[in-house]
Amino acid sequence: MTDISAQVSRVVCDSGIGDGLCHVFVSHTTAAVTVNENADPDVQRDLIAAFEAMVPQMTFHHAEGNSDAHLLSSLIGESVILPVESGQLRLGTWQGIFFVELDGPRRRKVQVSLIG
Amino acid sequence: MTDISAQVSRVVCDSGIGDGLCHVFVSHTTAAVTVNENADPDVQRDLIAAFEAMVPQMTFHHAEGNSDAHLLSSLIGESVILPVESGQLRLGTWQGIFFVELDGPRRRKVQVSLIG
Amino acid sequence: MTDISAQVSRVVCDSGIGDGLCHVFVSHTTAAVTVNENADPDVQRDLIAAFEAMVPQMTFHHAEGNSDAHLLSSLIGESVILPVESGQLRLGTWQGIFFVELDGPRRRKVQVSLIG
């Protein structure tokens, strides 16, 4: 998991938007994006371990060996939407935005859209 | 789980918005928001029990004892987006909006944003 | 799972929207919508099997026998939001939009909203 809050905040600030919504979208099917605690790095470490532990022990037909990543991508989600007020992301005190790599390392693309 | 549909509907009505989207955002990392059935209260009871039953039996490093809440927050999600038509939330017949407390009881904050 | 990407794309094209967001919303509590791989049909087959395998073996109080569907609906999610650029959905190379039937077959309704 990679904290991308600073990069997303910069896009929001640079856009000149006032109030609205910020959409963060992962253009991949073996990665995800989520909001969670950004204070204790153990939370991120626990999350990745717990995500993997939740994948059922079963035979997958998809032959690329990354079926766990496809499953978790749908459960965690490919996008988050965040409120923007007065040109700033309005995250909670402990919230950060995390890109979740499920089949890496790879070069990945995240799209940020703003609606005001 | 707490049904917050009436409060969200009131925000929509009071805003004067016509058509658009309603964003409901939980500013916490140990709570979530979801859409599910609002008719039979047993659905909510089952959901909370099933969410907890899905948490893997493992050692978490985060020392606050609420790692299950962080995990479920990312899986259930910190926001929902709902269609608004002619100034009304357009939920399905059986759909309600539920705040999901995963580490309470606590005083919590939900942000509602409207885009039209 | 049913790939509804073509239908959603057509709504986007017909709307005349330029840049913005596309919201796909399922008006049901025993179905869901997700983004995942549209190339290998085995991915969809694996996903459905894995979703079902994740449902905990427990006694549900809701008496309609579809508690697994309610649970998965909240975990997979009732909506997705997709970026629109120059009048086109901006999905990743391998991404498709899938309606996920969890308690069918039934006649279902999906609402598509565009914000530009």
Side-chain angles (χ1 to χ4, degrees):
Chain A
M1 289 174 67
T2 307
D3 189 337
I4 59 172
S5 310
Q7 290 96 321
V8 176
S9 285
R10 197 171 317 128
V11 173
V12 173
C13 291
D14 291 352
S15 73
I17 190 178
D19 296 343
L21 295 176
C22 173
H23 179 239
V24 181
F25 182 74
V26 170
S27 307
H28 309 278
T29 60
T30 56
V33 61
T34 194
V35 170
N36 219 300
E37 183 182 311
N38 63 0
D40 176 5
D42 276 342
V43 172
Q44 302 160 45
R45 184 183 168 193
D46 287 340
L47 281 175
I48 282 288
F51 290 149
E52 288 298 337
M54 292 182 80
V55 176
Q57 299 299 313
M58 54 179 278
T59 303
F60 293 106
H61 296 88
H62 182 55
E64 294 184 17
N66 58 2
S67 295
D68 55 339
H70 286 292
L71 173 64
L72 293 170
S73 175
S74 276
L75 292 174
I76 302 166
E78 80 300 325
S79 68
V80 293
I81 302 255
L82 311 158
V84 177
E85 274 183 41
S86 307
Q88 303 283 332
L89 277 184
R90 291 281 291 182
L91 295 173
T93 311
W94 308 107
Q95 288 181 316
I97 309 164
F98 293 92
F99 177 83
V100 187
E101 178 57 73
L102 298 163
D103 189 33
R106 295 205 204 175
R107 189 169 184 85
R108 299 292 202 171
K109 185 175 164 189
V110 173
Q111 297 181 61
V112 179
S113 306
L114 297 163
I115 296 285
Chain B
M1 288 173 67
T2 307
D3 189 337
I4 59 171
S5 309
Q7 291 94 321
V8 177
S9 284
R10 198 171 315 128
V11 174
V12 173
C13 291
D14 291 353
S15 74
I17 189 178
D19 296 342
L21 296 177
C22 172
H23 180 239
V24 181
F25 182 74
V26 170
S27 307
H28 309 277
T29 60
T30 57
V33 60
T34 193
V35 171
N36 219 302
E37 183 182 312
N38 62 0
D40 177 5
D42 276 341
V43 171
Q44 302 160 44
R45 184 182 167 195
D46 287 340
L47 282 175
I48 282 288
F51 291 149
E52 287 300 336
M54 292 183 80
V55 176
Q57 298 299 314
M58 53 180 278
T59 303
F60 292 106
H61 296 88
H62 182 54
E64 295 183 16
N66 58 4
S67 295
D68 54 341
H70 286 293
L71 173 63
L72 292 170
S73 176
S74 276
L75 292 175
I76 302 167
E78 81 300 325
S79 69
V80 294
I81 303 256
L82 310 158
V84 177
E85 273 183 42
S86 306
Q88 304 283 331
L89 277 185
R90 292 280 290 180
L91 295 174
T93 310
W94 308 107
Q95 288 181 317
I97 309 165
F98 294 92
F99 177 81
V100 188
E101 177 58 73
L102 298 164
D103 189 33
R106 295 205 205 177
R107 189 170 184 82
R108 299 294 203 168
K109 186 175 164 191
V110 173
Q111 298 182 60
V112 179
S113 306
L114 296 163
I115 295 285
Chain C
M1 290 175 65
T2 308
D3 189 337
I4 58 171
S5 310
Q7 290 96 319
V8 176
S9 284
R10 197 171 317 128
V11 173
V12 173
C13 290
D14 290 353
S15 73
I17 191 180
D19 296 344
L21 296 177
C22 173
H23 178 239
V24 181
F25 181 74
V26 171
S27 306
H28 309 278
T29 60
T30 56
V33 60
T34 193
V35 170
N36 219 301
E37 184 182 312
N38 62 1
D40 177 5
D42 275 342
V43 172
Q44 303 160 44
R45 184 181 167 194
D46 286 340
L47 282 175
I48 283 287
F51 290 149
E52 289 298 337
M54 292 183 80
V55 175
Q57 298 299 313
M58 54 179 276
T59 302
F60 292 106
H61 296 88
H62 181 55
E64 295 184 14
N66 58 4
S67 295
D68 54 339
H70 286 293
L71 173 64
L72 292 171
S73 175
S74 275
L75 292 175
I76 302 167
E78 80 301 324
S79 69
V80 293
I81 302 256
L82 311 159
V84 176
E85 273 183 42
S86 307
Q88 304 283 332
L89 277 184
R90 290 283 289 182
L91 295 174
T93 310
W94 307 106
Q95 287 180 317
I97 309 164
F98 293 91
F99 177 82
V100 187
E101 178 57 73
L102 297 164
D103 189 32
R106 295 205 205 176
R107 188 168 184 85
R108 300 291 203 172
K109 185 173 164 192
V110 173
Q111 297 182 61
V112 179
S113 306
L114 297 164
I115 295 285

